[in-house]
Amino acid sequence: MAAENRERLAMLLGCGIAVAFILVAVLARYSDNPPSMHSMYENILEKKKILEHLRLDLLKSVEMEKSAVMALTDEESLRYADQSRAAAARVDTSLAALRPLIDARTMPTEQTLLEEFSGCWTELSGIDRILLPLAVANTNLKAAKLSRDKGTASVQRFEQALESLRLAATGKANEQQIAIEISRALIAALKLFNLHGPHIAEADDSTMDQLEARMHAEQEVAHSSLVALGALFGHEEVAITRAKAAFAEFLAITTQVVHLSRQNSNVKSMEISMGRKRLLAATCDEALDALQETMVKRLSKATK
């Protein structure tokens, strides 16, 4: 009987030791240092929540930037640009909240992906600091409107003044020569006007130089014809004064159109938006997608 009791006591002692080892192993794994399973689960959920908001705000910022670039009015451009900046600010806030949560678990994959996104986002933010002011400047749209409205009106006034000269020349001995100079002046003015559009749409500076050289050549043709008409009519002719004034007004408008067009804010913002910005935004989103996928996998393992 004594031997049987000793054997039973030994078995209980062995089981107790085994249970103790198991408890020690569990406590070592899930004690406060490192974090317990519960705190790890909460860490993953919090990171996942922040990351979802961050990704949505990234896409919102890009979408509103595109809207600012495509907007047709200053008011729309400004509104969309402000919305893009607001979404970008939320990305910064989420990124600042996400970093310590990832650093707390010391997960190399997550840290690498976060740094990849952070570098990408820094570059993307730098592009937006250039792109959004260009988008709201709308210089190409303003040049087009100026040409379409005031430019058209001034050319029409020039044409009307030349038509008055043509009527005044009826029956004169030099009527045919007057008609030739009137045609030369009007054709040159119309050619100059037709160069507004290509200049406004052009992105290359050297090509704009060539267009401006052609504009200057047409300006000289029209000017020489006006001088000739003054000599044929006599400079006291009222219609000559009106024609010169209308052409001077048209040249002043052309100068403004060229100045706005040269800034090329719409063309440049579109090039940036559809070029480097688009590729970089995709890279940033891919980094977030990979980070999100990593967290989902870890969450799945934590709940098994």
Side-chain angles (χ1 to χ4, degrees):
M1 177 66 73
E4 184 178 346
N5 287 338
R6 284 196 298 272
E7 184 179 347
R8 183 177 300 172
L9 181 62
M11 289 179 62
L12 290 173
L13 183 60
C15 289
I17 292 172
V19 170
F21 273 118
I22 292 172
L23 288 173
V24 169
V26 170
L27 289 173
R29 184 175 180 182
Y30 300 121
S31 63
D32 288 337
N33 188 22
S36 67
M37 175 63 79
H38 180 69
S39 65
M40 181 180 70
Y41 181 74
E42 287 184 336
N43 175 275
I44 298 172
L45 284 180
E46 184 64 20
K47 288 187 295 189
K48 186 173 178 293
K49 178 183 176 181
I50 293 173
L51 186 57
E52 287 171 352
H53 287 297
L54 191 157
R55 197 173 183 187
L56 287 173
D57 285 325
L58 169 66
L59 297 176
K60 180 73 171 179
S61 176
V62 173
E63 179 188 356
M64 291 300 99
E65 167 265 309
K66 295 286 185 290
S67 296
V69 170
M70 299 297 293
L72 298 178
T73 66
D74 287 349
E75 291 76 13
E76 287 180 340
S77 293
L78 286 168
R79 183 171 70 253
Y80 290 133
D82 286 344
Q83 291 177 18
S84 178
R85 291 188 183 99
R90 293 195 297 272
V91 170
D92 288 332
T93 301
S94 295
L95 184 59
L98 185 61
R99 189 180 296 280
L101 291 173
I102 288 180
D103 290 342
R105 296 296 303 175
T106 318
M107 293 292 175
T109 301
E110 289 185 4
Q111 289 174 327
T112 299
L113 289 171
L114 183 66
E115 289 308 313
E116 181 181 330
F117 169 76
S118 181
C120 181
W121 175 245
T122 298
E123 188 175 352
L124 198 70
S125 299
I127 288 177
D128 274 347
R129 284 193 290 273
I130 298 171
L131 193 160
L132 291 175
L134 287 173
V136 301
N138 281 326
T139 60
N140 295 83
L141 291 178
K142 289 172 181 174
K145 187 177 188 307
L146 181 63
S147 175
R148 183 177 61 250
D149 296 345
K150 293 186 177 180
T152 298
S154 64
V155 167
Q156 288 175 343
R157 281 191 290 273
F158 183 55
E159 182 180 11
Q160 291 165 1
L162 291 177
E163 177 62 16
S164 296
L165 283 174
R166 188 189 66 79
L167 294 175
T170 303
K172 288 182 176 291
N174 54 4
E175 179 180 355
Q176 185 175 1
Q177 185 60 36
I178 289 173
I180 291 172
E181 296 299 340
I182 287 174
S183 295
R184 288 181 70 237
L186 181 58
I187 291 171
L190 291 174
K191 284 183 177 180
L192 199 166
F193 181 59
N194 285 336
L195 290 171
H196 285 189
H199 193 286
I200 293 167
E202 185 54 55
D204 181 66
D205 286 341
S206 62
T207 304
M208 284 193 283
D209 289 339
Q210 296 171 19
L211 289 168
E212 288 170 29
R214 290 170 58 188
M215 288 180 178
H216 183 71
E218 298 302 339
Q219 175 184 334
E220 289 301 311
V221 170
H223 179 70
S224 65
S225 289
L226 287 174
V227 171
L229 285 169
L232 291 169
F233 265 104
H235 293 284
E236 71 282 355
E237 177 64 45
V238 175
I240 287 289
T241 303
R242 286 176 50 210
K244 288 181 178 180
F247 190 65
E249 179 189 4
F250 172 61
L251 290 181
I253 291 169
T254 297
T255 299
Q256 295 177 53
V257 168
V258 168
H259 174 70
L260 289 168
S261 176
R262 272 285 181 178
Q263 296 177 53
N264 251 344
S265 69
N266 294 96
V267 173
K268 289 177 180 176
S269 64
M270 180 66 75
E271 285 184 342
I272 296 171
S273 179
M274 301 309 294
R276 178 61 179 159
K277 170 70 184 282
R278 180 177 61 85
L279 297 176
L280 200 57
T283 300
C284 288
D285 189 57
E286 286 170 5
L288 292 181
D289 183 58
L291 183 57
Q292 197 168 35
E293 186 177 350
T294 300
M295 290 181 183
V296 169
K297 288 179 179 178
R298 290 195 60 230
L299 183 62
S300 177
K301 289 180 182 179
T303 56
K304 287 183 179 179

